Amino acid sequence: MSTYTSTLGGHRYRFGSLARLLAAASPERSGDRLAGLAASSAQERVAARWALADVPLTAFLAEPVIPYETDDVTRLILDTHDAGAFAAVAGMTVGGFREWLLAADAGELAAVAPGLTPEMVAAVSKLMGNADLVAVARKVRVVTAFRSTIGLPGRLATRLQPNHPTDDPAGVAAALLDGLLLGSGDAVIGINPATDSPKAVRDLLELLDGVIQRYAIPTQSCVLSHVTTSMDLMERGAPVDLVFQSIAGTQAANASFGVTLGLLDEAYEAAKALGRGTVGSNVMYFETGQGSALSADAHHGVDQQTVEARAYAVARRYDPLLVNTVVGFIGPEYLYDGRQILRAALEDHFCGKVLGLPMGLDICYTNHADADDDDIATMLTMLGVAGASFVICTPGGDDIMLNYQSASYHDALYLREVLGLRPAPEFEAWLGSIGLLGEGGEIRDVSGTTHPLTAIGRELAA
Amino acid sequence: MTTSQVASVDRDLWPSLRRHTQARIGLGRAGTGLPTHHRLELQAAHAAAKDAVHSPFEPDVVAEALRGEPTVRVRSAAPDRLTYLQRPDLGRRLDPADRAHLPVGEWDVVFVVADGLSSRAVHEHGAAMVRATTALLPTAWRVAPVVLAEQARVALGDDVASAMGATMVVVFVGERPGMSAADSLGAYLTYRPMPGVTTDADRNCLSNIRPPLGLTYETAAAKLAGLMGRASELEITGVGLKDESDHMEVSERLL
């Protein structure tokens, strides 16, 4: 194991391994302190960054932060590394790589992605400011499709999240109507079910599929159940568009979610075989989030941002339609306040995009974190500028099932207006066809009217 | 489609839909933003939730509601609320002195009532859920004294079960408060837990126990007792043990 050193302020700092160096260089956050991995002083943090800037990118191939023998995510990363794509940056240090990224164009960034490992990308992010993370990410375009196309320039998609605490179909349908009337749902209509009961999940899938078919909405549905539940339901003929799974960056953390790469391989093949997409065939949906590995005691002494980036190597294997970090959901023991959540959101989006993923965000916070709706507005604006593929939206920004606050449908309208962003093209055309699109491309305010879509709600109310 | 076709006012729709959900639907718009009234309502709810997180757990409230049942009180290794919020590892471990006081026996199940992130949820629903679930268990089962745990997270139940010699543990825990619900209770079932080895994939979970708006005691207890019976037969909990009970509603009538 290599040792890394640097001198700052007359003091010589030593870092006993690449993992220790990465952790010490990471911007401050409560989770790394909880893990006992954070730099012990502000100067040690900057000293670690000086040392990290001089580390050659090839070091990340030579010294895995988690051993190859004991972790299948490490094996996935190294076994699928594309040396040809890496050649463009193979001679660089982390510091030089930062400068290259800032100057690179979209074509160069797309070409190098298969040659990058999560650790390289995590490392360079630690040398970048928030503005750097925005500037590089916004150049990257990752386009995926199922019934709508996600990630095109000038577009921002949304996940409509009509959750209900008891999976009550009437309650779900009411929230679904609310989101559709506010122009939301082009990334996915996605429900977090209250239980993983196959019967309950299937009822929700049938409900969403019924609405999508009846109104010919160019979008996809997802009930975010465990991958084994989705596999079971696909076998029984349920209308599964996307297979969802929460994933993490180590084998042990994935085990805590009850998944293995083999299981994901199987689910991926089964979903592809259904062929339910119309304009594309990306069938997987993943959620991630800093802190999940530590929460499962499965981080192997690696800082939470680097472990998070490793989850993107897992996602990348399955050409997903959607990936989002649920940044801020896990609580103040991992990301303490609005400042730390913002930083993590920008890091995750940057790392995901640079590794070639259709990265979106659930910009959120819990009530025991030191954050509020002003932090949501700040994060949303920065992530909109950074070119996030999609954001998750909830009624009024309040999820009554998961008990946390996320962006609202109104927030997405705001973001589209101030940045001139439009919905996915297929969904935009559909919005036009049902009279929800104004002359300037904005979502018309039809609250208090008898818009035809309100038939969804009128039947419930009857 | 022209504006006139969608312009007729329908004031009754959203109030009637709100009977089905507490979600903040049909709020209307001011440009792209929320009307002032709704913005302030959101802030008021957030303020209430933030305040709820910091309200102290009162084990006496639960013990009183469980009068007639033996109870035992424990603390986690987190000495105070602030530490608890930042150090989940401490919230998963018993205070060593309290561990020594737990009654050891050949228990089939131990119920742990843990404050989690909402003491209010535990004060309101904890005892009722213990009673409702216990009533549905086979009479031959040996049920341990109910453990009332302060500054506690779900995995504290592993430590409790292991210290007491219980085969199965059910942790009733206050879920983190949302803006519409500060009193939501979760239930976590784990078969033969081992501290430090058991992971979340080894548990079965019911969330949003919160009558009358969330799961009722009867429904939650029936689901839980059903899971416990099958866990006992199969000697397993977690992703290998699915909740196969019928869903309460059908979607067909909606469409």
Side-chain angles (χ1 to χ4, degrees):
Chain A
M1 217 177 270
S2 315
T3 297
Y4 302 84
T5 58
S6 69
T7 303
L8 186 69
H11 188 86
R12 189 160 174 80
Y13 295 90
R14 275 174 56 89
F15 307 95
S17 68
L18 201 45
R20 299 293 306 181
L21 180 65
L22 286 166
S26 211
E28 183 175 10
R29 66 205 62 200
S30 48
D32 287 341
R33 266 188 284 135
L34 173 64
L37 295 170
S40 56
S41 70
Q43 281 185 299
E44 184 186 17
R45 180 167 291 115
V46 177
R49 291 178 187 165
W50 277 106
L52 182 60
D54 288 338
V55 172
L57 291 182
T58 49
F60 296 96
L61 299 173
E63 187 183 339
V65 294
I66 301 172
Y68 184 91
E69 296 71 26
T70 55
D71 188 275
D72 65 4
V73 178
T74 299
R75 291 198 289 277
L76 172 65
I77 292 166
L78 294 178
D79 293 350
T80 60
H81 181 248
D82 183 338
F86 181 57
V89 295
M92 294 181 192
T93 61
V94 178
F97 182 46
R98 171 180 171 272
E99 293 169 358
W100 183 87
L101 285 169
L102 286 164
D105 63 27
E108 291 170 306
L109 290 168
V112 80
L116 300 177
T117 68
E119 290 84 354
M120 294 174 194
V121 176
V124 77
S125 80
K126 297 177 195 300
L127 301 185
M128 290 183 147
N130 285 2
D132 293 348
L133 297 172
V134 171
V136 175
R138 78 187 300 268
K139 293 188 286 190
V140 182
R141 281 294 148 200
V142 180
V143 179
T144 57
F146 189 81
R147 290 190 199 105
S148 59
T149 307
I150 314 296
L152 293 168
R155 308 275 176 174
L156 171 80
T158 58
R159 167 176 160 193
L160 195 169
Q161 184 168 297
N163 290 346
H164 188 279
T166 59
D167 297 335
D168 173 49
V172 167
L176 172 59
L177 170 64
D178 182 55
L180 288 174
L181 288 175
L182 289 165
S184 187
D186 44 347
V188 63
I189 301 172
I191 300 175
N192 301 90
T195 80
D196 214 55
S197 147
K199 172 81 170 76
V201 173
R202 181 163 192 159
D203 285 349
L204 292 172
L205 283 168
E206 302 278 0
L207 166 68
L208 296 182
D209 191 53
V211 171
I212 287 172
Q213 287 202 31
R214 175 168 172 180
Y215 294 95
I217 309 173
T219 190
Q220 34 284 331
S221 74
C222 189
V223 177
L224 284 73
S225 56
H226 192 264
V227 67
T228 53
T229 304
S230 298
M231 288 165 71
D232 178 35
L233 287 170
M234 283 191 285
E235 217 165 90
R236 298 196 214 174
V240 175
D241 287 345
L242 305 180
V243 168
F244 168 82
Q245 184 55 48
S246 292
I247 54 169
T250 71
Q251 181 175 345
N254 284 323
S256 84
F257 289 142
V259 294
T260 60
L261 297 179
L263 204 54
L264 292 173
D265 287 352
E266 235 180 284
Y268 174 52
E269 293 303 328
K272 267 200 305 188
L274 295 180
R276 293 173 58 84
T278 51
V279 297
S281 55
N282 302 104
V283 293
M284 301 297 280
Y285 175 19
F286 296 114
E287 284 191 337
T288 65
Q290 289 190 27
S292 61
L294 174 59
S295 168
D297 197 18
H299 63 296
H300 299 274
V302 179
D303 72 272
Q304 71 181 32
Q305 190 251 333
T306 302
V307 176
E308 168 72 5
R310 285 168 54 95
Y312 307 154
V314 176
R316 185 158 70 164
R317 176 177 173 87
Y318 304 103
D319 296 322
L321 179 76
L322 307 164
V323 180
N324 66 259
T325 170
V326 192
V327 66
F329 182 74
I330 194 163
E333 59 272 36
Y334 302 93
L335 296 167
Y336 177 70
D337 57 12
R339 183 172 185 235
Q340 292 185 5
I341 299 171
L342 167 65
R343 174 72 201 184
L346 294 171
E347 290 166 346
D348 294 353
H349 177 253
F350 164 86
C351 289
K353 280 283 170 69
V354 170
L355 288 168
L357 290 177
M359 204 68 194
L361 294 105
D362 191 353
I363 293 167
C364 58
Y365 62 93
T366 59
N367 286 314
H368 60 318
D370 187 7
D372 61 22
D373 58 345
D374 286 338
D375 293 298
I376 295 277
T378 304
M379 288 191 268
L380 199 65
T381 307
M382 284 204 80
L383 269 305
V385 174
S389 295
F390 68 101
V391 291
I392 286 182
C393 298
T394 56
D398 172 18
D399 190 299
I400 59 169
M401 150 67 197
L402 294 171
N403 285 338
Y404 76 121
Q405 282 82 256
S406 180
S408 65
Y409 304 119
H410 297 75
D411 288 329
L413 294 179
Y414 145 79
L415 197 60
R416 282 175 173 164
E417 180 174 274
V418 298
L419 296 178
L421 298 169
R422 294 155 59 195
E426 301 84 359
F427 194 82
E428 185 179 40
W430 175 79
L431 288 170
S433 75
I434 58 158
L436 281 175
L437 218 52
E439 281 173 16
E442 78 283 3
I443 306 297
R444 294 180 50 212
D445 185 354
V446 296
S447 50
T449 72
T450 53
H451 186 275
L453 272 184
T454 60
I456 298 172
R458 215 169 306 284
E459 286 167 31
L460 290 176
Chain B
M1 192 173 294
T2 65
T3 308
S4 62
Q5 280 176 281
V6 294
S8 61
V9 174
D10 182 2
R11 294 188 196 286
D12 300 332
L13 178 65
W14 293 111
S16 63
L17 292 183
R18 284 191 198 101
R19 286 189 285 115
H20 301 284
T21 180
Q22 281 203 304
R24 295 168 195 272
I25 56 174
L27 301 184
R29 287 166 52 179
T32 59
L34 283 173
T36 305
H37 170 79
H38 289 300
R39 175 163 165 72
L40 291 177
E41 274 197 345
L42 278 161
Q43 292 190 348
H46 184 227
K50 280 185 94 161
D51 288 347
V53 168
H54 297 279
S55 70
F57 178 43
E58 295 172 41
D60 286 348
V61 172
V62 183
E64 179 63 23
L66 281 172
R67 201 160 12 158
E69 304 282 339
T71 58
V72 51
R73 296 172 196 200
V74 296
R75 291 161 301 172
S76 77
D80 55 52
R81 202 66 177 161
L82 205 62
T83 309
Y84 172 78
L85 287 175
Q86 295 178 34
R87 291 290 305 271
D89 53 330
L90 298 181
R92 297 183 189 122
R93 287 206 306 270
L94 280 166
D95 175 274
D98 289 358
R99 183 190 282 112
H101 294 144
L102 285 170
V104 179
E106 293 188 356
W107 313 112
D108 290 301
V109 61
V110 57
F111 290 97
V112 178
V113 178
D115 53 357
L117 287 168
S118 171
S119 343
R120 194 182 139 199
V122 168
H123 293 159
E124 291 184 15
H125 311 306
M129 275 307 297
V130 170
R131 285 195 190 278
T133 311
T134 309
L136 298 178
L137 297 179
T139 46
W141 279 29
R142 287 152 301 184
V143 180
V146 179
V147 176
L148 310 179
E150 196 175 346
Q151 312 292 14
R153 292 184 185 257
V154 172
L156 187 90
D158 302 347
D159 210 356
V160 169
S162 160
M164 294 174 73
T167 307
M168 210 183 299
V169 60
V170 174
V171 179
F172 292 115
V173 64
E175 296 179 342
R176 57 185 173 195
M179 306 244 283
S180 304
D183 65 333
S184 192
L185 191 76
Y188 291 80
L189 171 65
T190 317
Y191 187 85
R192 232 182 264 291
M194 288 189 283
V197 176
T198 297
T199 71
D200 290 342
D202 300 319
R203 310 184 199 286
N204 291 88
C205 166
L206 290 177
S207 59
N208 286 291
I209 301 168
R210 186 174 67 97
L213 295 163
L215 282 180
T216 62
Y217 301 141
E218 294 72 22
T219 306
K223 279 174 181 281
L224 189 56
L227 283 169
M228 291 167 75
R230 286 192 297 120
S232 176
E233 273 170 43
L234 302 173
E235 304 193 348
I236 190 177
T237 47
V239 293
L241 182 70
K242 295 283 183 201
D243 173 14
E244 293 281 358
S245 60
D246 277 349
H247 196 49
M248 291 171 294
E249 300 273 353
V250 288
S251 61
E252 284 76 14
R253 69 181 171 81
L254 302 171
L255 296 171

